[in-house]
Amino acid sequence: VLLRARAVETQTYVFAAAQIGRHSAKRSSYGDAMIVDPWGVVVARCSRTTSEPLLALAEINIDYLEKVRREMPVFSHKRPDIFSDYSS
């Protein structure tokens, strides 16, 4: 859910890598790497049920990205009085 929220609030594609496998007697990782589109939809995801390395692939649609940014113009809500170094 957090990765989906980051994609929506930043209006970007989010690529989230994740480790898998047993690292030591006390530590294991369970994967769940994914790619999330700017509207928070998971467009590719690696399985959590394998210990083998996997690769997630997804098409990046620039037209869709621009459409999301037009329909939900969050960047127009920037506060230059607070974030002057980041306003453009």
Side-chain angles (χ1 to χ4, degrees):
V1 173
L2 294 176
L3 292 171
R4 296 175 66 203
R6 296 300 82 80
V8 171
E9 71 188 11
T10 61
Q11 294 183 323
T12 60
Y13 283 87
V14 171
F15 295 77
Q19 293 181 341
I20 57 171
R22 188 158 196 79
H23 307 289
S24 69
K26 295 182 178 181
R27 184 167 172 265
S28 294
S29 296
Y30 301 97
D32 213 15
M34 66 183 73
I35 302 170
V36 184
D37 79 10
W39 197 240
V41 176
V42 176
V43 294
R45 183 180 227 150
C46 292
S47 174
R48 299 178 72 181
T49 60
T50 182
S51 61
E52 296 298 317
L54 298 172
L55 181 66
L57 299 174
E59 184 174 325
I60 304 305
N61 185 332
I62 300 300
D63 293 333
Y64 178 68
L65 175 64
E66 291 171 349
K67 177 181 184 282
V68 169
R69 289 180 177 178
R70 264 192 322 273
E71 292 179 1
M72 189 173 62
V74 297
F75 294 118
S76 68
H77 302 154
K78 287 190 287 186
R79 294 269 318 263
D81 56 318
I82 296 173
F83 300 103
S84 60
D85 290 342
Y86 301 103
S87 56
S88 51

